[in-house]
């Protein structure tokens, strides 16, 4: 029988196929407040690098337009200094679009990290289990049928996503829920919502159909502070909630029985994760439309960059912000004189990631 030597550092295997030396982690414990945890230098470094990259792309996107502005002047305008013309262009005309793109990227990616961890499946993202489709159906119904009742697109998106999540949760319930059943039921509900949306678009008038289709692709064109401010307020509540749930969320990766044995109330925690993820994706979808593949790809990219056994929420959010801001910049610069919807670029970039995940799952014998 092989007995590990106390002098030899043990290595912890994880799902990405490599090994993380236990000596690379630093445990800490505070007396006041009573907090303990593990510092992961690689994860901290990745988050710092992603933050810098996202900020640079953010400023670059603000500088691009019919009135070019230097990056240095953009950074000065962000803190309130510079000539009045530059301040007007940056803070009133271009900054709302960049802020919406940043927040939507964080919202989709953190929501994707929650759902992928909760379902223990890299394909368990909101755009695969019907949540973005449900939010889209509600918004398109408000546009085409005039059923908004005075509600804005963000409220309609929230109601649609909540209704879809409740339907998926109820259909997947059988003395509790499992991630596998949530994914299977969610895929079916997603197709139902997609068919309903297609019917509504075909039924609507010419201008209504154009407005609905432009929103359904995922678009940051024409975004103002009216979309940015409510989204920022919601994010200030839901992102901390997602981080607080993170510790309980990781026990679900061990399976329901083991998680319950460790003291985790499995179904209430899963419901709390579901509601938090739904809120993030609903308000993100309402602000910019159902931007494709960000919730699916960003957590997987962040997980591999950080070398963790689960999609880290903070790194996932930063990756999502970088993906959307970069995609929006590409969409604006790819064809001269034309601003493509950001969802077209994320769809082109995200489709290979989906194929790679499916091939990887098939080789692993998990069936996806």
């Amino acid at each position: 029988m092989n007995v590990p030597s106390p002098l030899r550092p043990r290595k912890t295997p994880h799902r990405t196929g490599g090994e993380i030396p236990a000596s690379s982690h630093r445990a800490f414990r505070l007396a006041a407040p009573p907090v303990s945890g593990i510092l992961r230098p690689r994860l901290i470094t990745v988050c710092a690098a992603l933050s810098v990259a996202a900020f640079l792309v953010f400023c670059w996107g603000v500088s691009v337009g019919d009135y070019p502005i230097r990056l240095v002047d953009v950074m000065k305008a962000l803190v309130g200094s510079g000539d009045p013309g530059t301040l007007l262009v940056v803070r009133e005309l271009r900054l709302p679009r960049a802020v919406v793109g940043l927040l939507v990227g964080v919202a989709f990616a953190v929501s994707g990290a929650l759902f992928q961890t909760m379902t223990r499946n890299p394909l368990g993202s909101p755009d695969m289990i019907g949540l973005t489709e449900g939010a889209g159906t509600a918004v398109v119904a408000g546009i085409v049928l005039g059923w908004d009742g005075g509600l804005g697109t963000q409220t309609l998106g929230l109601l649609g996503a909540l209704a879809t999540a409740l339907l998926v949760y109820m259909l997947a319930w059988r003395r509790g829920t499992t991630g596998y059943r949530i994914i299977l039921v969610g895929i079916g509900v997603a197709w139902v919502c997609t068919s309903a949306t297609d019917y509504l678009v075909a039924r609507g008038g010419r201008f209504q159909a154009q407005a609905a289709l432009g929103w359904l692709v995922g678009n940051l064109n024409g975004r103002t502070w009216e979309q940015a401010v409510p989204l920022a307020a919601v994010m200030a509540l839901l992102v901390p909630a997602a981080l607080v749930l993170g510790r309980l969320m990781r026990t679900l990766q061990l399976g329901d029985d083991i998680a319950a044995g460790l003291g985790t109330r499995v179904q209430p925690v899963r419901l709390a994760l579901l509601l938090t993820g739904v809120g993030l994706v609903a308000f993100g979808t309402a602000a910019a439309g159902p931007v494709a593949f960000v919730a699916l790809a960003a957590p997987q990219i962040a997980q591999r960059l950080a070398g963790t056994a689960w999609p880290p929420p903070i790194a996932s959010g930063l990756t999502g912000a970088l993906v959307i801001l970069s995609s929006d910049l590409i969409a604006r610069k790819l064809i001269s004189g034309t601003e493509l919807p950001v969802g077209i670029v994320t769809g082109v970039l995200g489709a290979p990631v989906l194929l790679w995940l499916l091939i990887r799952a098939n080789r692993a014998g998990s069936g996806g």
Side-chain angles (χ1 to χ4, degrees):
M1 181 172 60
N2 295 325
V3 180
S5 171
L7 301 178
R8 182 181 302 167
R10 295 189 300 174
K11 296 183 177 181
T12 305
H14 62 98
R15 293 188 304 171
T16 58
E19 291 184 340
I20 301 177
S23 58
S24 66
H25 299 163
R26 300 290 184 269
F28 69 92
R29 183 176 182 180
L30 302 178
V35 176
S36 62
I38 297 176
L39 291 177
R40 295 177 170 84
R42 178 174 172 178
L43 178 58
I44 295 173
T45 303
V46 168
C47 289
L50 289 172
S51 299
V52 173
F55 177 73
L56 292 177
V57 176
F58 179 90
C59 294
W60 189 6
V62 174
S63 70
V64 171
D66 294 333
Y67 176 65
I69 303 174
R70 297 184 307 168
L71 284 177
V72 175
D73 295 331
V74 169
M75 295 179 185
K76 290 181 179 179
L78 292 178
V79 295
S81 64
D83 63 89
T86 301
L87 287 174
L88 175 64
V89 172
V90 170
R91 305 188 74 174
E92 298 299 329
L93 301 181
R94 297 181 185 175
L95 190 57
R97 174 182 183 144
V99 170
V100 170
L102 175 70
L103 295 177
V104 166
V106 174
F108 279 138
V110 173
S111 178
L114 292 180
F115 280 100
Q116 289 176 5
T117 305
M118 179 181 67
T119 59
R120 293 189 295 162
N121 194 314
L123 299 179
S125 66
D127 45 2
M128 296 294 292
I129 60 176
L131 300 186
T132 54
E133 289 82 358
T137 301
V139 173
V140 171
I143 294 174
V144 174
L145 303 178
W147 288 356
D148 55 357
L151 303 175
T153 57
Q154 293 190 338
T155 304
L156 288 174
L158 177 62
L159 294 176
L162 284 174
T164 305
L166 180 62
L167 179 61
V168 171
Y169 197 79
M170 290 175 58
L171 293 177
W173 182 272
R174 190 194 307 169
R175 296 187 300 275
T177 60
T178 63
Y180 183 73
R181 287 205 299 269
I182 288 176
I183 292 175
L184 289 181
V185 172
I187 291 174
V189 172
W191 280 106
V192 172
C193 293
T194 300
S195 300
T197 302
D198 292 341
Y199 169 76
L200 290 171
V201 171
R203 176 179 173 177
R206 176 182 176 183
F207 297 105
Q208 293 173 328
Q210 288 179 345
L213 287 174
W215 183 86
L216 282 172
V217 175
N219 207 332
L220 295 177
N221 296 340
R223 292 304 178 264
T224 66
W225 290 115
E226 293 182 0
Q227 290 85 29
V229 173
L231 181 59
V234 171
M235 297 280 289
L237 295 175
L238 293 182
V239 171
L243 298 180
V244 170
L245 290 170
R247 186 166 186 173
L248 296 175
M249 176 178 64
R250 290 194 288 272
T251 63
L252 297 180
Q253 287 188 299
L254 303 174
D256 291 357
D257 294 337
I258 296 178
L262 294 174
T264 301
R265 301 177 63 187
V266 174
Q267 297 306 327
V269 169
R270 184 171 284 136
L271 181 59
L273 289 169
L274 182 67
L275 293 177
T276 303
V278 167
L280 288 169
V281 76
F283 280 94
T285 302
V291 183
F293 290 118
V294 176
L296 174 71
Q300 293 301 308
I301 295 172
Q303 178 178 345
R304 280 150 184 81
L305 288 176
T308 58
W310 69 91
I314 296 178
S316 298
L318 293 172
T319 303
L322 181 59
V323 167
I324 287 217
L325 292 173
S326 302
S327 299
D328 185 48
L329 188 60
I330 293 172
R332 295 162 65 186
K333 300 289 287 184
L334 186 62
I335 301 177
S336 178
T338 302
E339 291 192 2
L340 296 175
V342 66
I344 293 178
V345 179
T346 60
V348 172
L349 298 177
V353 177
L354 174 61
L355 293 176
W356 176 76
L357 289 174
L358 290 173
I359 293 172
R360 183 173 178 270
N362 185 56
R363 288 177 177 175
S366 61

